């Protein structure tokens, strides 16, 4: 290839420096956004039954990030929750099957389940359902048994989505500039310099797209953990002692109340008898004297 003049080389080096500076500003916190959201083990346990938004080609599919820029779009919420249920004897496995059926009815799927049969069994089931059906699924699963505890959480990640989308647009603009520079390079040294910067920018693009796909999956499906226990709730020793103390206290109060009521009735009677005796005895003595 023919050599380039000094001015051309200076211009090329200046453009590469500008793009590299923008690349370093864009890729500062990519790893935090890509790995700090949601529960990764759920994705590994069972593939989501929907195609992730933002395919490898980068076009045609509208992601959650794209929807954030559309007028009238709602916030991006990651929903998760947990429910503890108490079911009757010999109803554990049928209850687990009912929860699995409910997950499918609401358009979701099971990521993990385990059942333990030791005297009175227990089970744990983790399901994922579309976010629009999450509250309905929680209510339906609560009817499977007696709810002992329940918690539902929601985290708004709209700001993260908008930030990732803006950084992705910036990185793609840098990629386009670098590709044009590479096509205009007239020496191997220029091509290598541009290629090194382009590789870093393209790596940032893949990280940002991965973070957006992860957020799209987490906001599209809510995660619900269900714990089931069979048989009546166990009575703790502290509860037994408390009940015994309450019974003894109530019994003592009842006895004391009875004694007080009896004394309140007997004291006037005894006073009347004593007064009568005090009057009758002298009269009797006088009568006996007169008779004698």
């Amino acid at each position: 290839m023919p050599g380039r003049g000094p001015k051309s080389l200076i211009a090329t080096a200046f453009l590469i420096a500008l793009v590299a500076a923008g690349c370093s500003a864009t890729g500062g916190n990519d790893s935090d956004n890509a790995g700090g959201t949601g529960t990764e083990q759920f994705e590994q346990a069972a593939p989501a039954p929907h195609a992730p938004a933002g395919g490898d080609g980068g076009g045609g599919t509208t992601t959650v990030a794209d929807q954030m820029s559309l007028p009238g779009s709602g916030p991006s919420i990651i929903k998760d929750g947990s429910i503890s249920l108490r079911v009757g004897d010999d109803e554990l496995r049928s209850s687990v099957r009912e929860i699995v059926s409910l997950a499918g009815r609401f358009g979701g799927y099971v990521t993990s389940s385990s059942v333990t049969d030791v005297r009175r069994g227990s089970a744990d089931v983790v399901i994922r359902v579309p976010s629009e059906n999450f509250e309905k699924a929680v209510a339906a699963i609560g009817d499977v048994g007696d709810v002992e505890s329940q918690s539902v959480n929601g985290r708004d990640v709209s700001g993260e989505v908008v930030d990732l989308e803006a950084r992705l647009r910036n990185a793609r603009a840098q990629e386009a500039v670098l590709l044009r520079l590479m096509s205009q390079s007239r020496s191997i040294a220029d091509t290598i310099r541009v290629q090194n910067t382009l590789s870093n920018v393209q790596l940032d693009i893949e990280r940002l797209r991965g973070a957006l796909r992860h957020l799209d999956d987490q906001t599209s499906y809510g995660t619900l953990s269900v714990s089931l226990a069979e048989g009546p709730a166990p009575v703790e020793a502290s509860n037994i002692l408390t009940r015994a103390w309450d019974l003894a206290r109530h019994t003592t109060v009842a006895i004391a109340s009875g004694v007080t009521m009896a004394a309140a009735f007997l004291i006037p009677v005894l006073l009347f008898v004593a007064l009568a005796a005090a009057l009758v005895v002298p009269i009797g003595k006088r009568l006996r004297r007169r008779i004698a």
Side-chain angles (χ1 to χ4, degrees):
M1 290 187 296
R4 303 184 62 186
K7 293 183 177 180
S8 176
L9 290 176
I10 292 173
T12 302
F14 180 71
L15 287 174
I16 292 176
L18 287 178
V19 173
C23 172
S24 62
T26 303
N29 297 321
D30 293 339
S31 60
D32 294 340
N33 285 279
T37 334
T39 308
E40 189 172 344
Q41 63 181 358
F42 294 156
E43 293 183 346
Q44 295 173 353
H50 72 297
D56 293 338
T61 304
T62 302
T63 66
V64 168
D66 296 327
Q67 293 174 2
M68 289 305 302
S69 60
L70 297 177
S73 60
S76 297
I77 305 295
I78 295 178
K79 298 179 180 180
D80 63 81
S82 61
I83 302 179
S84 296
L85 299 177
R86 177 73 55 176
V87 298
D89 292 331
D90 301 324
E91 295 181 359
L92 182 64
R93 292 186 177 274
S94 61
S95 299
V96 171
R97 287 193 294 268
E98 186 175 355
I99 291 173
V100 172
S101 175
L102 286 172
R105 185 186 308 171
F106 288 105
Y109 57 95
V110 177
T111 62
S112 66
S113 65
S114 62
V115 178
T116 303
D117 288 324
V118 179
R119 296 183 64 183
R120 285 175 175 160
S122 62
D124 294 290
V125 184
V126 179
I127 67 172
R128 301 196 70 200
V129 294
S131 294
E132 60 270 18
N133 295 332
F134 186 78
E135 289 77 11
K136 297 178 183 177
V138 171
I141 290 174
D143 294 334
V144 173
D146 296 328
V147 178
E148 294 188 329
S149 65
Q150 174 178 319
S151 66
V152 176
N153 305 305
R155 184 164 67 91
D156 190 349
V157 293
S158 304
E160 296 180 40
V161 170
V162 173
D163 178 65
L164 289 171
E165 183 188 29
R167 293 166 63 185
L168 180 60
R169 285 197 301 266
N170 186 32
R172 282 175 172 166
Q174 294 174 10
E175 181 187 34
V177 172
L178 289 169
L179 288 173
R180 285 196 299 271
L181 284 175
M182 182 174 290
S183 66
Q184 297 171 3
S185 298
R186 294 295 182 267
S187 68
I188 295 177
D190 289 347
T191 302
I192 291 175
R193 282 194 293 268
V194 175
Q195 179 62 46
N196 289 337
T197 307
L198 179 62
S199 298
N200 292 333
V201 172
Q202 290 175 336
L203 179 61
D204 291 336
I205 289 174
E206 290 306 315
R207 288 175 177 172
L208 291 169
R209 290 173 61 190
L212 283 170
R213 284 195 297 267
H214 182 74
L215 285 179
D216 177 72
D217 176 72
Q218 293 297 305
T219 55
S220 298
Y221 279 73
T223 304
L224 184 62
S225 302
V226 185
S227 300
L228 301 96
E230 192 175 33
V235 179
E236 297 181 1
S238 58
N239 290 339
I240 296 177
L241 294 176
T242 301
R243 292 178 182 177
W245 169 253
D246 290 339
L247 179 61
R249 182 167 55 85
H250 293 157
T251 303
T252 302
V253 170
I255 293 174
S257 299
V259 171
T260 302
M261 292 179 63
F265 174 77
L266 290 176
I267 287 175
V269 173
L270 293 175
L271 290 175
F272 177 77
V273 171
L275 181 60
L279 294 176
V280 171
V281 169
I283 295 173
K285 288 181 179 180
R286 291 176 183 176
L287 289 175
R288 282 198 297 271
R289 288 174 183 172
R290 289 178 182 180
I291 295 173

